[in-house]
Amino acid sequence: MSKARPRFGKGRSYLPAPYREWKDKARRLLRYFWETNELETLTQFELHVEAHGPGRCDPDNLIGSLLDAGIPHKQTAWSGAWKDDRVTVVPYISFRWVRDKKQFWDICIQIKEE
């Protein structure tokens, strides 16, 4: 799902409910993968995405939604898949779209061993 733009009403900003629900589901999947594989919160990595689907979204908004789902989440006390989504943490991102009737992503995260 594309990253949603904040909406404004009654003197405050909020994100649309469908986006919040998608992000919560994506966060649960990322958390499950991180905890099952005993992974630490990443402080620097490269992100490579190959997205399959009809091609109705902007790539920057698609990547943004994924990055938002992986940052630390105070309400669930999850330390996150990655520290944050700044360029110092994610200095390289590649995105490739493939027209497909099915919608799915192949994601590769590369880290440098020190």
Side-chain angles (χ1 to χ4, degrees):
M1 175 173 246
S2 283
K3 183 173 180 170
R5 291 187 174 89
R7 306 291 186 235
F8 299 94
K10 298 183 182 180
R12 51 177 248 177
S13 67
Y14 64 94
L15 293 170
Y19 178 69
R20 286 193 319 266
E21 292 165 9
W22 180 91
K23 191 167 73 168
D24 288 344
K25 183 177 179 181
R27 182 182 302 114
R28 285 192 303 272
L29 290 170
L30 284 168
R31 184 175 185 171
Y32 174 78
F33 185 84
W34 248 250
E35 290 177 351
T36 299
N37 292 286
E38 299 178 358
L39 301 173
E40 296 180 11
T41 301
L42 302 176
T43 57
Q44 191 173 57
F45 65 99
E46 293 182 1
L47 178 63
H48 306 275
V49 174
E50 183 176 277
H52 294 247
R56 295 189 187 107
C57 303
D58 295 342
D60 60 325
N61 291 330
L62 291 170
I63 293 293
S65 63
L66 172 65
L67 291 173
D68 281 354
I71 60 175
H73 191 246
K74 292 178 185 175
Q75 288 83 356
T76 60
W78 182 44
S79 59
W82 33 85
K83 184 170 83 171
D84 61 45
D85 56 1
R86 292 179 296 158
V87 294
T88 55
V89 176
V90 195
Y92 186 89
I93 296 173
S94 68
F95 182 89
R96 179 174 185 254
W97 169 72
V98 177
R99 182 180 304 274
D100 201 326
K101 290 182 181 180
K102 296 180 182 178
Q103 288 185 304
F104 65 95
W105 283 18
D106 285 326
I107 299 172
C108 177
I109 294 173
Q110 293 181 321
I111 59 172
K112 292 183 179 179
E113 294 290 327
E114 294 187 26

